[in-house]
Amino acid sequence: MIQFQVSPHVLWSLGGLYAVLVVASAWVMMLRWRAPEKDRTELVQRIRSWWLIVSIFTLVIIMSCNVAVAFFAFVSFLALKEYLSIVPTRRADRRVLFWAYLSIPVQYYWVAQAWYGMFIIFIPVYVFLLLPMRMVIIGETKEFLRAAGLLHWGIMTMVFGISHIAYLLVLPEATNPSAGGTGLVLFLVFLTEFNDVAQYLWGKMLGRKKIIPKVSPNKTWEGFLGGMVTTTLLSILLADWLTPMPWTVAIAAGLLISVAGFIGDVTISALKRDIGLKDSGSLLPGHGGILDRIDSLTYTAPLFFHFIYYLYY
Amino acid sequence: MNSFLRFLFYGVFIRLIVLIILGLNVRHRERLPKAGPAIIVANHNSHLDTMVLMSLFPLSLLPKLHPVAAVDYFLTSRLFSWFTLKVIGILPIKRTISRGDDNPLAPCNQALADGQLLIVFPEGSRGEPEQMQSFKGGIARLAESHPTVPVTPVFLHGLGKALPKGESVLVPFFCDVFVGEPLPWTGDRRSYMRQLDERMRQLAAEGNFPAWN
């Protein structure tokens, strides 16, 4: 097991995160004071949920590496459960879904062991081959292809994709002595979520030209590009603190997170639109379900991981 | 001792399963009764139905909260009877009556007179997963005898996927719980059953449920 110590850089960044939340809360309080008649329940709930998310995240990330890995396993569990609850499934596949859930502890066990080879092939190879076999044993062929495809997409996104965040924690500490794996996780998660908020705010302020109206009518080019610029700037600022990247590489990482975050967001939007839902659940008041919050991470986590893994590990 | 076990069972064990393994999406929770006597009526697809409904109420109401259940299924062996009566806390009634029996609803009448909260599944059995059967008339008799006791309809979805009849493996799913407005006594049993049916259908229509077949 890799020894785990929280560096001052990580602590300072977490402090910065709380400062952002304090500013956001103060801003909402001011809005309510200036126009008390307007209903701002959703905004208030949303920020309250952010406080909760950030508090749990802080607690988990400073406790120990294993706790943090278990936490991301739990996030995968919630996400897969939400996904399987909103998509059509076959009664005959109940047992298959049970096996699909079991892939979560196994995948995160490879992470906790820092067994990279197994981590990277377990779901794309073994789970991919095993689950259809289990379905064939049950023998229901009606809608077989749809059910198999739907299940694999869910596991790839919610389990394999999200487990990349956890694997950042067990990467060799020596490559990033100032902040370690925790720093990388903080960098990835913070920039991804910041990019979501920035794209939303830029879109609200300047948004005109729709970018992908059929999938997500509220997304605009102005929001997308505004988010891209702010996220990249923040990436340059934070990279020095939290990652081994010099500013030139940090620009690429910022662009990557911004673009990938947008694609992850609209991919989950397309899924929800297909099913006919606005929110994927009600777990996080003001946000919706867990998928509404981690949609961008399903793309940024694996892409940022392989970017930094290729360059430094 | 038994009431402590019951507290442990519902307060810790069941809440962990219901809130972490399953996860609930509750709509209109504020419509649930806050004190007894009261009747909660729900559709029935899984043993988990009772567990979910029990976990919606504060633990302070636990001593007064009892699911109404069939004698022939739940009181079969000595140990099982102890568990269902003392820990789950069922109120046993007979599903079939033979000539000369007392009113099968007498235990319910007594419990409501004592200010208890009863959970009733008027479908009578769990049936096929995620399909609602028609309600049996006993609930109207109960409402008729206690016209001032609120009868709150609750629609449950997803529990028949998580643990249907005849299955022993629990598969996690988020489940929906839609609480309706209490249905006041209408004056006669037929119109009461019609309205209860209608209200359950309206609650079911609030959801947008994925296919399961």
mmCIF file of all heavy atoms in Angstrom, chain A residues 74 77-78 81-82 84-92 94-95 97-98 101 275-277 282-283, chain B residues 20-23 25 128-129 161-164 167-174 208 210-213:
data_model
loop_
_atom_site.group_PDB
_atom_site.id
_atom_site.type_symbol
_atom_site.label_atom_id
_atom_site.label_comp_id
_atom_site.label_asym_id
_atom_site.label_seq_id
_atom_site.Cartn_x
_atom_site.Cartn_y
_atom_site.Cartn_z
ATOM 1 N N PHE A 74 -17.862 3.670 -4.255
ATOM 2 C CA PHE A 74 -19.242 3.966 -3.880
ATOM 3 C C PHE A 74 -19.894 4.917 -4.893
ATOM 4 O O PHE A 74 -21.063 4.754 -5.251
ATOM 5 C CB PHE A 74 -19.281 4.550 -2.462
ATOM 6 C CG PHE A 74 -20.676 4.712 -1.924
ATOM 7 C CD1 PHE A 74 -21.491 3.611 -1.746
ATOM 8 C CD2 PHE A 74 -21.168 5.959 -1.603
ATOM 9 C CE1 PHE A 74 -22.791 3.751 -1.264
ATOM 10 C CE2 PHE A 74 -22.460 6.121 -1.118
ATOM 11 C CZ PHE A 74 -23.273 5.009 -0.949
ATOM 12 N N PHE A 77 -20.860 2.882 -7.726
ATOM 13 C CA PHE A 77 -22.054 2.106 -7.377
ATOM 14 C C PHE A 77 -23.315 2.955 -7.537
ATOM 15 O O PHE A 77 -24.294 2.545 -8.160
ATOM 16 C CB PHE A 77 -21.930 1.568 -5.946
ATOM 17 C CG PHE A 77 -23.200 0.978 -5.407
ATOM 18 C CD1 PHE A 77 -23.716 -0.186 -5.933
ATOM 19 C CD2 PHE A 77 -23.886 1.598 -4.376
ATOM 20 C CE1 PHE A 77 -24.901 -0.735 -5.441
ATOM 21 C CE2 PHE A 77 -25.064 1.059 -3.876
ATOM 22 C CZ PHE A 77 -25.574 -0.105 -4.418
ATOM 23 N N LEU A 78 -23.284 4.171 -6.966
ATOM 24 C CA LEU A 78 -24.453 5.049 -7.075
ATOM 25 C C LEU A 78 -24.765 5.365 -8.538
ATOM 26 O O LEU A 78 -25.921 5.371 -8.957
ATOM 27 C CB LEU A 78 -24.218 6.351 -6.312
ATOM 28 C CG LEU A 78 -24.192 6.265 -4.796
ATOM 29 C CD1 LEU A 78 -23.864 7.627 -4.197
ATOM 30 C CD2 LEU A 78 -25.518 5.769 -4.253
ATOM 31 N N LYS A 81 -26.125 2.293 -10.366
ATOM 32 C CA LYS A 81 -27.481 2.019 -9.880
ATOM 33 C C LYS A 81 -28.466 3.007 -10.503
ATOM 34 O O LYS A 81 -29.548 2.627 -10.934
ATOM 35 C CB LYS A 81 -27.498 2.124 -8.350
ATOM 36 C CG LYS A 81 -28.811 1.766 -7.721
ATOM 37 C CD LYS A 81 -28.697 1.619 -6.221
ATOM 38 C CE LYS A 81 -28.185 2.872 -5.562
ATOM 39 N NZ LYS A 81 -28.482 2.936 -4.119
ATOM 40 N N GLU A 82 -28.055 4.267 -10.553
ATOM 41 C CA GLU A 82 -28.948 5.258 -11.141
ATOM 42 C C GLU A 82 -29.170 4.962 -12.623
ATOM 43 O O GLU A 82 -30.304 5.006 -13.121
ATOM 44 C CB GLU A 82 -28.346 6.658 -10.963
ATOM 45 C CG GLU A 82 -29.356 7.751 -11.066
ATOM 46 C CD GLU A 82 -28.784 9.068 -10.577
ATOM 47 O OE1 GLU A 82 -28.111 9.753 -11.363
ATOM 48 O OE2 GLU A 82 -28.986 9.395 -9.412
ATOM 49 N N LEU A 84 -28.880 2.037 -14.203
ATOM 50 C CA LEU A 84 -29.702 0.835 -14.404
ATOM 51 C C LEU A 84 -31.151 1.055 -13.983
ATOM 52 O O LEU A 84 -32.033 0.309 -14.383
ATOM 53 C CB LEU A 84 -29.105 -0.354 -13.645
ATOM 54 C CG LEU A 84 -27.779 -0.866 -14.206
ATOM 55 C CD1 LEU A 84 -27.223 -1.970 -13.325
ATOM 56 C CD2 LEU A 84 -27.936 -1.358 -15.635
ATOM 57 N N SER A 85 -31.391 2.069 -13.154
ATOM 58 C CA SER A 85 -32.762 2.344 -12.729
ATOM 59 C C SER A 85 -33.522 3.166 -13.759
ATOM 60 O O SER A 85 -34.743 3.165 -13.751
ATOM 61 C CB SER A 85 -32.783 3.090 -11.393
ATOM 62 O OG SER A 85 -32.100 2.350 -10.426
ATOM 63 N N ILE A 86 -32.812 3.898 -14.624
ATOM 64 C CA ILE A 86 -33.536 4.747 -15.584
ATOM 65 C C ILE A 86 -33.567 4.158 -16.990
ATOM 66 O O ILE A 86 -34.361 4.588 -17.808
ATOM 67 C CB ILE A 86 -32.984 6.200 -15.632
ATOM 68 C CG1 ILE A 86 -31.521 6.223 -16.075
ATOM 69 C CG2 ILE A 86 -33.156 6.901 -14.309
ATOM 70 C CD1 ILE A 86 -30.968 7.624 -16.286
ATOM 71 N N VAL A 87 -32.713 3.188 -17.288
ATOM 72 C CA VAL A 87 -32.753 2.595 -18.632
ATOM 73 C C VAL A 87 -33.635 1.342 -18.607
ATOM 74 O O VAL A 87 -33.817 0.726 -17.560
ATOM 75 C CB VAL A 87 -31.338 2.226 -19.140
ATOM 76 C CG1 VAL A 87 -30.467 3.458 -19.264
ATOM 77 C CG2 VAL A 87 -30.695 1.175 -18.258
ATOM 78 N N PRO A 88 -34.176 0.984 -19.775
ATOM 79 C CA PRO A 88 -34.969 -0.253 -19.815
ATOM 80 C C PRO A 88 -34.080 -1.484 -19.617
ATOM 81 O O PRO A 88 -32.999 -1.565 -20.198
ATOM 82 C CB PRO A 88 -35.588 -0.249 -21.216
ATOM 83 C CG PRO A 88 -34.822 0.736 -22.013
ATOM 84 C CD PRO A 88 -34.192 1.697 -21.062
ATOM 85 N N THR A 89 -34.503 -2.393 -18.755
ATOM 86 C CA THR A 89 -33.745 -3.623 -18.532
ATOM 87 C C THR A 89 -34.695 -4.803 -18.689
ATOM 88 O O THR A 89 -35.910 -4.635 -18.648
ATOM 89 C CB THR A 89 -33.131 -3.642 -17.128
ATOM 90 O OG1 THR A 89 -34.087 -3.142 -16.195
ATOM 91 C CG2 THR A 89 -31.890 -2.795 -17.032
ATOM 92 N N ARG A 90 -34.129 -5.992 -18.836
ATOM 93 C CA ARG A 90 -34.979 -7.179 -19.020
ATOM 94 C C ARG A 90 -35.104 -7.917 -17.688
ATOM 95 O O ARG A 90 -34.118 -8.090 -16.972
ATOM 96 C CB ARG A 90 -34.358 -8.112 -20.061
ATOM 97 C CG ARG A 90 -34.107 -7.445 -21.395
ATOM 98 C CD ARG A 90 -33.664 -8.440 -22.437
ATOM 99 N NE ARG A 90 -32.508 -9.238 -22.027
ATOM 100 C CZ ARG A 90 -32.067 -10.307 -22.673
ATOM 101 N NH1 ARG A 90 -32.688 -10.701 -23.774
ATOM 102 N NH2 ARG A 90 -31.009 -10.972 -22.246
ATOM 103 N N ARG A 91 -36.312 -8.387 -17.436
ATOM 104 C CA ARG A 91 -36.528 -9.161 -16.214
ATOM 105 C C ARG A 91 -35.599 -10.351 -16.135
ATOM 106 O O ARG A 91 -35.089 -10.697 -15.072
ATOM 107 C CB ARG A 91 -37.969 -9.669 -16.202
ATOM 108 C CG ARG A 91 -38.819 -9.031 -15.186
ATOM 109 C CD ARG A 91 -40.239 -9.397 -15.418
ATOM 110 N NE ARG A 91 -40.559 -10.643 -14.744
ATOM 111 C CZ ARG A 91 -41.786 -11.168 -14.749
ATOM 112 N NH1 ARG A 91 -42.749 -10.549 -15.399
ATOM 113 N NH2 ARG A 91 -42.030 -12.272 -14.113
ATOM 114 N N ALA A 92 -35.362 -10.965 -17.299
ATOM 115 C CA ALA A 92 -34.527 -12.162 -17.333
ATOM 116 C C ALA A 92 -33.095 -11.861 -16.887
ATOM 117 O O ALA A 92 -32.369 -12.754 -16.445
ATOM 118 C CB ALA A 92 -34.520 -12.743 -18.742
ATOM 119 N N ARG A 94 -31.969 -10.056 -14.360
ATOM 120 C CA ARG A 94 -31.753 -9.658 -12.969
ATOM 121 C C ARG A 94 -30.419 -10.154 -12.417
ATOM 122 O O ARG A 94 -29.648 -9.409 -11.831
ATOM 123 C CB ARG A 94 -32.891 -10.197 -12.098
ATOM 124 C CG ARG A 94 -33.888 -9.146 -11.634
ATOM 125 C CD ARG A 94 -34.974 -9.785 -10.791
ATOM 126 N NE ARG A 94 -34.416 -10.627 -9.759
ATOM 127 C CZ ARG A 94 -33.982 -10.200 -8.575
ATOM 128 N NH1 ARG A 94 -34.088 -8.942 -8.256
ATOM 129 N NH2 ARG A 94 -33.469 -11.039 -7.706
ATOM 130 N N ARG A 95 -30.145 -11.444 -12.619
ATOM 131 C CA ARG A 95 -28.896 -12.020 -12.106
ATOM 132 C C ARG A 95 -27.674 -11.421 -12.805
ATOM 133 O O ARG A 95 -26.617 -11.279 -12.210
ATOM 134 C CB ARG A 95 -28.893 -13.542 -12.299
ATOM 135 C CG ARG A 95 -29.997 -14.261 -11.538
ATOM 136 C CD ARG A 95 -29.686 -14.266 -10.073
ATOM 137 N NE ARG A 95 -30.792 -14.795 -9.291
ATOM 138 C CZ ARG A 95 -30.700 -15.885 -8.523
ATOM 139 N NH1 ARG A 95 -29.578 -16.538 -8.439
ATOM 140 N NH2 ARG A 95 -31.740 -16.282 -7.837
ATOM 141 N N LEU A 97 -27.448 -8.373 -13.910
ATOM 142 C CA LEU A 97 -27.224 -7.057 -13.309
ATOM 143 C C LEU A 97 -26.488 -7.204 -11.978
ATOM 144 O O LEU A 97 -25.617 -6.397 -11.641
ATOM 145 C CB LEU A 97 -28.552 -6.318 -13.089
ATOM 146 C CG LEU A 97 -29.415 -6.082 -14.324
ATOM 147 C CD1 LEU A 97 -30.607 -5.210 -13.970
ATOM 148 C CD2 LEU A 97 -28.613 -5.441 -15.424
ATOM 149 N N PHE A 98 -26.827 -8.261 -11.252
ATOM 150 C CA PHE A 98 -26.130 -8.510 -9.988
ATOM 151 C C PHE A 98 -24.627 -8.708 -10.242
ATOM 152 O O PHE A 98 -23.787 -8.137 -9.543
ATOM 153 C CB PHE A 98 -26.739 -9.747 -9.317
ATOM 154 C CG PHE A 98 -26.189 -10.010 -7.955
ATOM 155 C CD1 PHE A 98 -26.612 -9.253 -6.879
ATOM 156 C CD2 PHE A 98 -25.233 -10.995 -7.754
ATOM 157 C CE1 PHE A 98 -26.101 -9.479 -5.616
ATOM 158 C CE2 PHE A 98 -24.722 -11.227 -6.490
ATOM 159 C CZ PHE A 98 -25.155 -10.474 -5.427
ATOM 160 N N TYR A 101 -22.927 -5.427 -10.918
ATOM 161 C CA TYR A 101 -22.585 -4.690 -9.697
ATOM 162 C C TYR A 101 -21.312 -5.245 -9.061
ATOM 163 O O TYR A 101 -20.506 -4.503 -8.512
ATOM 164 C CB TYR A 101 -23.723 -4.766 -8.679
ATOM 165 C CG TYR A 101 -24.861 -3.810 -8.950
ATOM 166 C CD1 TYR A 101 -26.114 -4.262 -9.313
ATOM 167 C CD2 TYR A 101 -24.677 -2.433 -8.823
ATOM 168 C CE1 TYR A 101 -27.160 -3.391 -9.545
ATOM 169 C CE2 TYR A 101 -25.710 -1.556 -9.050
ATOM 170 C CZ TYR A 101 -26.953 -2.045 -9.412
ATOM 171 O OH TYR A 101 -27.979 -1.166 -9.636
ATOM 172 N N ILE A 275 -34.414 8.824 -22.992
ATOM 173 C CA ILE A 275 -35.330 8.180 -22.050
ATOM 174 C C ILE A 275 -36.531 9.076 -21.747
ATOM 175 O O ILE A 275 -37.582 8.601 -21.348
ATOM 176 C CB ILE A 275 -34.573 7.844 -20.752
ATOM 177 C CG1 ILE A 275 -33.473 6.843 -21.055
ATOM 178 C CG2 ILE A 275 -35.489 7.288 -19.694
ATOM 179 C CD1 ILE A 275 -32.489 6.702 -19.928
ATOM 180 N N GLY A 276 -36.348 10.395 -21.928
ATOM 181 C CA GLY A 276 -37.438 11.319 -21.621
ATOM 182 C C GLY A 276 -37.392 11.840 -20.204
ATOM 183 O O GLY A 276 -38.425 12.051 -19.577
ATOM 184 N N LEU A 277 -36.186 12.018 -19.654
ATOM 185 C CA LEU A 277 -36.034 12.530 -18.294
ATOM 186 C C LEU A 277 -35.319 13.873 -18.320
ATOM 187 O O LEU A 277 -34.480 14.122 -19.184
ATOM 188 C CB LEU A 277 -35.184 11.577 -17.452
ATOM 189 C CG LEU A 277 -35.756 10.216 -17.078
ATOM 190 C CD1 LEU A 277 -34.698 9.428 -16.336
ATOM 191 C CD2 LEU A 277 -36.984 10.388 -16.202
ATOM 192 N N SER A 282 -32.801 12.093 -7.868
ATOM 193 C CA SER A 282 -33.067 13.174 -6.929
ATOM 194 C C SER A 282 -32.120 13.113 -5.737
ATOM 195 O O SER A 282 -32.426 13.600 -4.665
ATOM 196 C CB SER A 282 -34.517 13.100 -6.451
ATOM 197 O OG SER A 282 -34.730 11.855 -5.821
ATOM 198 N N LEU A 283 -30.953 12.491 -5.954
ATOM 199 C CA LEU A 283 -30.022 12.277 -4.856
ATOM 200 C C LEU A 283 -29.424 13.588 -4.347
ATOM 201 O O LEU A 283 -29.186 13.745 -3.160
ATOM 202 C CB LEU A 283 -28.906 11.341 -5.334
ATOM 203 C CG LEU A 283 -28.105 10.658 -4.265
ATOM 204 C CD1 LEU A 283 -28.984 9.694 -3.493
ATOM 205 C CD2 LEU A 283 -26.950 9.893 -4.890
ATOM 206 N N ILE B 20 -29.003 2.797 1.371
ATOM 207 C CA ILE B 20 -27.713 2.693 0.694
ATOM 208 C C ILE B 20 -27.736 1.672 -0.436
ATOM 209 O O ILE B 20 -27.371 1.972 -1.564
ATOM 210 C CB ILE B 20 -26.598 2.399 1.711
ATOM 211 C CG1 ILE B 20 -26.478 3.626 2.606
ATOM 212 C CG2 ILE B 20 -25.269 2.123 1.006
ATOM 213 C CD1 ILE B 20 -25.438 3.566 3.646
ATOM 214 N N ILE B 21 -28.217 0.467 -0.162
ATOM 215 C CA ILE B 21 -28.247 -0.532 -1.230
ATOM 216 C C ILE B 21 -29.307 -0.145 -2.267
ATOM 217 O O ILE B 21 -29.077 -0.218 -3.468
ATOM 218 C CB ILE B 21 -28.559 -1.941 -0.675
ATOM 219 C CG1 ILE B 21 -27.635 -2.275 0.488
ATOM 220 C CG2 ILE B 21 -28.508 -2.978 -1.788
ATOM 221 C CD1 ILE B 21 -26.306 -2.812 0.125
ATOM 222 N N LEU B 22 -30.480 0.278 -1.782
ATOM 223 C CA LEU B 22 -31.533 0.641 -2.736
ATOM 224 C C LEU B 22 -31.480 2.126 -3.103
ATOM 225 O O LEU B 22 -31.086 2.485 -4.191
ATOM 226 C CB LEU B 22 -32.918 0.320 -2.161
ATOM 227 C CG LEU B 22 -33.269 -1.159 -2.057
ATOM 228 C CD1 LEU B 22 -34.613 -1.308 -1.370
ATOM 229 C CD2 LEU B 22 -33.323 -1.805 -3.431
ATOM 230 N N GLY B 23 -31.899 2.976 -2.194
ATOM 231 C CA GLY B 23 -31.982 4.404 -2.521
ATOM 232 C C GLY B 23 -33.403 4.746 -2.936
ATOM 233 O O GLY B 23 -33.976 4.063 -3.777
ATOM 234 N N ASN B 25 -36.527 7.560 -4.054
ATOM 235 C CA ASN B 25 -36.907 8.847 -4.607
ATOM 236 C C ASN B 25 -38.341 9.081 -4.117
ATOM 237 O O ASN B 25 -39.272 8.524 -4.665
ATOM 238 C CB ASN B 25 -36.795 8.755 -6.130
ATOM 239 C CG ASN B 25 -37.522 9.865 -6.833
ATOM 240 O OD1 ASN B 25 -37.681 10.958 -6.288
ATOM 241 N ND2 ASN B 25 -37.986 9.585 -8.036
ATOM 242 N N GLU B 128 -47.293 -10.653 -9.733
ATOM 243 C CA GLU B 128 -46.234 -10.526 -10.724
ATOM 244 C C GLU B 128 -45.466 -9.225 -10.508
ATOM 245 O O GLU B 128 -46.070 -8.208 -10.162
ATOM 246 C CB GLU B 128 -46.842 -10.509 -12.133
ATOM 247 C CG GLU B 128 -47.296 -11.848 -12.630
ATOM 248 C CD GLU B 128 -46.122 -12.767 -12.928
ATOM 249 O OE1 GLU B 128 -45.359 -12.450 -13.841
ATOM 250 O OE2 GLU B 128 -45.953 -13.778 -12.218
ATOM 251 N N PRO B 129 -44.123 -9.243 -10.728
ATOM 252 C CA PRO B 129 -43.350 -8.036 -10.480
ATOM 253 C C PRO B 129 -43.835 -6.832 -11.280
ATOM 254 O O PRO B 129 -44.081 -6.928 -12.469
ATOM 255 C CB PRO B 129 -41.925 -8.423 -10.897
ATOM 256 C CG PRO B 129 -41.995 -9.786 -11.448
ATOM 257 C CD PRO B 129 -43.302 -10.381 -11.087
ATOM 258 N N LYS B 161 -38.544 -5.057 -8.950
ATOM 259 C CA LYS B 161 -37.350 -5.351 -9.733
ATOM 260 C C LYS B 161 -36.224 -5.782 -8.800
ATOM 261 O O LYS B 161 -35.453 -6.683 -9.106
ATOM 262 C CB LYS B 161 -36.909 -4.108 -10.515
ATOM 263 C CG LYS B 161 -37.842 -3.727 -11.646
ATOM 264 C CD LYS B 161 -37.673 -2.268 -12.048
ATOM 265 C CE LYS B 161 -36.463 -2.038 -12.918
ATOM 266 N NZ LYS B 161 -36.457 -0.670 -13.494
ATOM 267 N N ALA B 162 -36.126 -5.102 -7.656
ATOM 268 C CA ALA B 162 -35.016 -5.354 -6.725
ATOM 269 C C ALA B 162 -35.140 -6.716 -6.052
ATOM 270 O O ALA B 162 -34.148 -7.435 -5.915
ATOM 271 C CB ALA B 162 -34.965 -4.247 -5.680
ATOM 272 N N LEU B 163 -36.345 -7.074 -5.623
ATOM 273 C CA LEU B 163 -36.532 -8.359 -4.936
ATOM 274 C C LEU B 163 -37.949 -8.868 -5.200
ATOM 275 O O LEU B 163 -38.830 -8.702 -4.364
ATOM 276 C CB LEU B 163 -36.282 -8.207 -3.434
ATOM 277 C CG LEU B 163 -36.241 -9.510 -2.635
ATOM 278 C CD1 LEU B 163 -34.995 -10.305 -2.971
ATOM 279 C CD2 LEU B 163 -36.268 -9.230 -1.140
ATOM 280 N N PRO B 164 -38.190 -9.459 -6.365
ATOM 281 C CA PRO B 164 -39.547 -9.931 -6.666
ATOM 282 C C PRO B 164 -39.871 -11.214 -5.917
ATOM 283 O O PRO B 164 -38.998 -11.820 -5.286
ATOM 284 C CB PRO B 164 -39.504 -10.174 -8.178
ATOM 285 C CG PRO B 164 -38.081 -10.408 -8.509
ATOM 286 C CD PRO B 164 -37.269 -9.687 -7.474
ATOM 287 N N GLU B 167 -37.651 -14.717 -5.553
ATOM 288 C CA GLU B 167 -36.219 -14.512 -5.758
ATOM 289 C C GLU B 167 -35.538 -14.290 -4.414
ATOM 290 O O GLU B 167 -36.132 -13.733 -3.496
ATOM 291 C CB GLU B 167 -35.986 -13.273 -6.631
ATOM 292 C CG GLU B 167 -36.274 -13.499 -8.091
ATOM 293 C CD GLU B 167 -35.124 -14.195 -8.802
ATOM 294 O OE1 GLU B 167 -34.030 -14.322 -8.202
ATOM 295 O OE2 GLU B 167 -35.331 -14.619 -9.961
ATOM 296 N N SER B 168 -34.272 -14.725 -4.324
ATOM 297 C CA SER B 168 -33.578 -14.524 -3.059
ATOM 298 C C SER B 168 -32.413 -13.544 -3.183
ATOM 299 O O SER B 168 -31.839 -13.130 -2.189
ATOM 300 C CB SER B 168 -33.069 -15.863 -2.536
ATOM 301 O OG SER B 168 -32.284 -16.467 -3.535
ATOM 302 N N VAL B 169 -32.040 -13.177 -4.412
ATOM 303 C CA VAL B 169 -30.922 -12.243 -4.591
ATOM 304 C C VAL B 169 -31.463 -10.834 -4.752
ATOM 305 O O VAL B 169 -32.288 -10.576 -5.618
ATOM 306 C CB VAL B 169 -30.095 -12.615 -5.840
ATOM 307 C CG1 VAL B 169 -29.007 -11.590 -6.088
ATOM 308 C CG2 VAL B 169 -29.491 -13.989 -5.664
ATOM 309 N N LEU B 170 -30.981 -9.933 -3.895
ATOM 310 C CA LEU B 170 -31.418 -8.544 -3.985
ATOM 311 C C LEU B 170 -30.541 -7.821 -5.008
ATOM 312 O O LEU B 170 -29.327 -7.798 -4.879
ATOM 313 C CB LEU B 170 -31.298 -7.883 -2.612
ATOM 314 C CG LEU B 170 -31.998 -6.550 -2.396
ATOM 315 C CD1 LEU B 170 -32.155 -6.291 -0.906
ATOM 316 C CD2 LEU B 170 -31.287 -5.397 -3.026
ATOM 317 N N VAL B 171 -31.149 -7.248 -6.033
ATOM 318 C CA VAL B 171 -30.404 -6.470 -7.019
ATOM 319 C C VAL B 171 -30.718 -4.992 -6.803
ATOM 320 O O VAL B 171 -31.880 -4.610 -6.813
ATOM 321 C CB VAL B 171 -30.780 -6.893 -8.451
ATOM 322 C CG1 VAL B 171 -30.072 -6.033 -9.476
ATOM 323 C CG2 VAL B 171 -30.451 -8.353 -8.672
ATOM 324 N N PRO B 172 -29.700 -4.156 -6.569
ATOM 325 C CA PRO B 172 -29.973 -2.751 -6.241
ATOM 326 C C PRO B 172 -30.624 -1.974 -7.385
ATOM 327 O O PRO B 172 -30.210 -2.072 -8.536
ATOM 328 C CB PRO B 172 -28.568 -2.186 -5.964
ATOM 329 C CG PRO B 172 -27.729 -3.366 -5.633
ATOM 330 C CD PRO B 172 -28.263 -4.486 -6.463
ATOM 331 N N PHE B 173 -31.637 -1.222 -7.048
ATOM 332 C CA PHE B 173 -32.279 -0.270 -7.950
ATOM 333 C C PHE B 173 -32.732 0.917 -7.113
ATOM 334 O O PHE B 173 -33.125 0.731 -5.961
ATOM 335 C CB PHE B 173 -33.538 -0.864 -8.592
ATOM 336 C CG PHE B 173 -33.291 -1.819 -9.721
ATOM 337 C CD1 PHE B 173 -33.369 -3.184 -9.513
ATOM 338 C CD2 PHE B 173 -32.999 -1.353 -10.989
ATOM 339 C CE1 PHE B 173 -33.150 -4.077 -10.548
ATOM 340 C CE2 PHE B 173 -32.783 -2.239 -12.031
ATOM 341 C CZ PHE B 173 -32.852 -3.604 -11.809
ATOM 342 N N PHE B 174 -32.704 2.109 -7.694
ATOM 343 C CA PHE B 174 -33.377 3.236 -7.053
ATOM 344 C C PHE B 174 -34.876 2.993 -7.165
ATOM 345 O O PHE B 174 -35.361 2.580 -8.211
ATOM 346 C CB PHE B 174 -33.041 4.549 -7.751
ATOM 347 C CG PHE B 174 -31.776 5.177 -7.248
ATOM 348 C CD1 PHE B 174 -30.582 5.045 -7.937
ATOM 349 C CD2 PHE B 174 -31.779 5.891 -6.069
ATOM 350 C CE1 PHE B 174 -29.410 5.622 -7.463
ATOM 351 C CE2 PHE B 174 -30.620 6.479 -5.591
ATOM 352 C CZ PHE B 174 -29.430 6.344 -6.287
ATOM 353 N N ASN B 208 -42.175 8.160 -14.716
ATOM 354 C CA ASN B 208 -41.818 7.841 -16.092
ATOM 355 C C ASN B 208 -40.900 6.630 -15.989
ATOM 356 O O ASN B 208 -39.688 6.765 -15.853
ATOM 357 C CB ASN B 208 -41.114 9.064 -16.699
ATOM 358 C CG ASN B 208 -40.605 8.790 -18.090
ATOM 359 O OD1 ASN B 208 -40.801 7.708 -18.640
ATOM 360 N ND2 ASN B 208 -39.936 9.757 -18.673
ATOM 361 N N PRO B 210 -38.934 3.079 -16.796
ATOM 362 C CA PRO B 210 -38.382 2.333 -17.937
ATOM 363 C C PRO B 210 -39.031 0.957 -18.045
ATOM 364 O O PRO B 210 -39.569 0.430 -17.079
ATOM 365 C CB PRO B 210 -36.900 2.214 -17.597
ATOM 366 C CG PRO B 210 -36.832 2.307 -16.119
ATOM 367 C CD PRO B 210 -37.956 3.197 -15.705
ATOM 368 N N ALA B 211 -38.952 0.402 -19.252
ATOM 369 C CA ALA B 211 -39.534 -0.917 -19.489
ATOM 370 C C ALA B 211 -38.822 -1.971 -18.653
ATOM 371 O O ALA B 211 -37.647 -1.841 -18.316
ATOM 372 C CB ALA B 211 -39.415 -1.261 -20.969
ATOM 373 N N TRP B 212 -39.551 -3.011 -18.305
ATOM 374 C CA TRP B 212 -39.003 -4.130 -17.522
ATOM 375 C C TRP B 212 -39.772 -5.370 -17.940
ATOM 376 O O TRP B 212 -40.834 -5.667 -17.389
ATOM 377 C CB TRP B 212 -39.197 -3.831 -16.030
ATOM 378 C CG TRP B 212 -38.880 -4.943 -15.085
ATOM 379 C CD1 TRP B 212 -39.770 -5.751 -14.439
ATOM 380 C CD2 TRP B 212 -37.595 -5.372 -14.648
ATOM 381 N NE1 TRP B 212 -39.108 -6.652 -13.652
ATOM 382 C CE2 TRP B 212 -37.776 -6.440 -13.760
ATOM 383 C CE3 TRP B 212 -36.287 -4.965 -14.942
ATOM 384 C CZ2 TRP B 212 -36.727 -7.107 -13.143
ATOM 385 C CZ3 TRP B 212 -35.239 -5.623 -14.327
ATOM 386 C CH2 TRP B 212 -35.460 -6.675 -13.443
ATOM 387 N N ASN B 213 -39.301 -6.018 -18.998
ATOM 388 C CA ASN B 213 -39.997 -7.250 -19.379
ATOM 389 C C ASN B 213 -39.101 -8.184 -20.178
ATOM 390 O O ASN B 213 -37.934 -7.935 -20.315
ATOM 391 C CB ASN B 213 -41.270 -6.951 -20.161
ATOM 392 C CG ASN B 213 -41.045 -5.878 -21.196
ATOM 393 O OD1 ASN B 213 -39.987 -5.868 -21.844
ATOM 394 N ND2 ASN B 213 -41.988 -4.967 -21.341
#
